[in-house]
Amino acid sequence: MIDVYILCRVFFFFRATAFECNYSSVHTLPSPETFSGERIADPIVSVKQEIRNKMGSLPQLYSDPLEKQADLIDPIKLKTLFKSQQKYLNNFFDKLDLSQAHVFTQTLLNSTGTIFITGVGKSGFVSKNISQTLVSLGIKSQFLSPVDALHGDIGILNSNDVLVMFSKSGNTEELIRLVPCARAKGAFLISVTSVEGNALMGMSDLNVHLPLERELCPFDLAPTTSTAIQMVFGCTVAIAMMDAKNLTKEGYAANHPAGRIGKSLIFKVRDVMKKQDELPVCREGDLIMDQLVELTSKGCGCLLVIDDDYHLIGTFTDGDLRRTLKASKEGIFKLTVGEMCNRNPRTISSERMAVEAMKKMEAPPSPVQFLPVIDEDNKLIGIVTLHGLVSAGL
């Protein structure tokens, strides 16, 4: 590590350089050989050499940071890496023992307690993701840190629970230390590993082997392919459990009330439509020019033309107004809304999903900004606008 002395040297050098630049505008500085006859060493070169000397005993992981050039990705090598990863993943799919996977999935499905999932390092991050996926599907699950478990958190385990341990090597020290403690609590232990003949395999009630040809890392060290197959395995098992539990779209939506996923599955047109006094309504015999305030004040960009019983007759938009004005000029003062309205507008029921309304607005031949909402008798009960859908988070 560069010590304080070197950093100070660099700091005072740059201060001296700044002073030299200001001073040289009115004075001529002597040459480096003036004082001793020998050329004075370049202070920048000296500092760089001193930094290298200090770092000399450390492995050179990258090029010299003081002379580093821009890194570039070789597109050919990138394509080769993707193909290699595909090959390693295909090896996993080809060699996975489906009977093991089936027993594993059925065991989790039959659990009457909580499915605890644990792992260390990258396997720990994968474990958290799989656990959160199970929870989102309505399955009781929780990530258990192996380190925290040994300092009190294991108290949450009981005899009805399942503990799933993800480890590429199967020899992770923290997990091996956790096993006897978890067994004492009566939990069912499952190890998910990729190396044959590992320690966890012999200590667990059930082992699942995830075939691994090698890591994508050129040194076969960084957990890249191994974590990918762990994620694929865990998420596939989660969806298999989802299917076995017959989870419906409505049930899934109930677990995701916030965000676009939940809103698109929960919100119906009736939840986002404007009603009653918010509706820009008029009669077909009304003059267009008499309805300009109604057209512009409700923020819908249209008029909903109805009869005396509130049956929808048609729609008249601000676009229709511009086209009518261009074609009729001063004749627009004598035209009624009913003469120029669209008598075959797109409509929707209040019980339809809000996301369906958005799709209907965007459908060919041309998109629209609103949909009148009608009941089974074609009576107007509301209006849903694109702006309203977007404001609702859809």
Side-chain angles (χ1 to χ4, degrees), residues 16-60:
T17 302
F19 173 77
E20 179 180 334
C21 291
N22 293 331
Y23 186 78
S24 61
S25 61
V26 292
H27 295 278
T28 302
L29 296 178
S31 65
E33 295 89 351
T34 301
F35 297 105
S36 62
E38 297 181 1
R39 186 169 185 84
I40 301 173
D42 185 341
I44 286 290
V45 175
S46 300
V47 171
K48 288 171 65 177
Q49 186 59 49
E50 195 162 350
I51 291 174
R52 292 191 186 98
N53 292 340
K54 288 285 184 180
M55 299 178 65
S57 59
L58 299 176
Q60 295 297 310

Side-chain angles (χ1 to χ4, degrees), residues 142-155:
Q142 184 174 329
F143 172 75
L144 181 65
S145 165
V147 176
D148 292 339
L150 295 175
H151 292 272
D153 283 6
I154 200 171

Side-chain angles (χ1 to χ4, degrees), residues 227-240:
T227 50
I229 64 177
Q230 286 176 347
M231 187 73 77
V232 168
F233 176 78
C235 290
T236 304
V237 166
I239 298 303

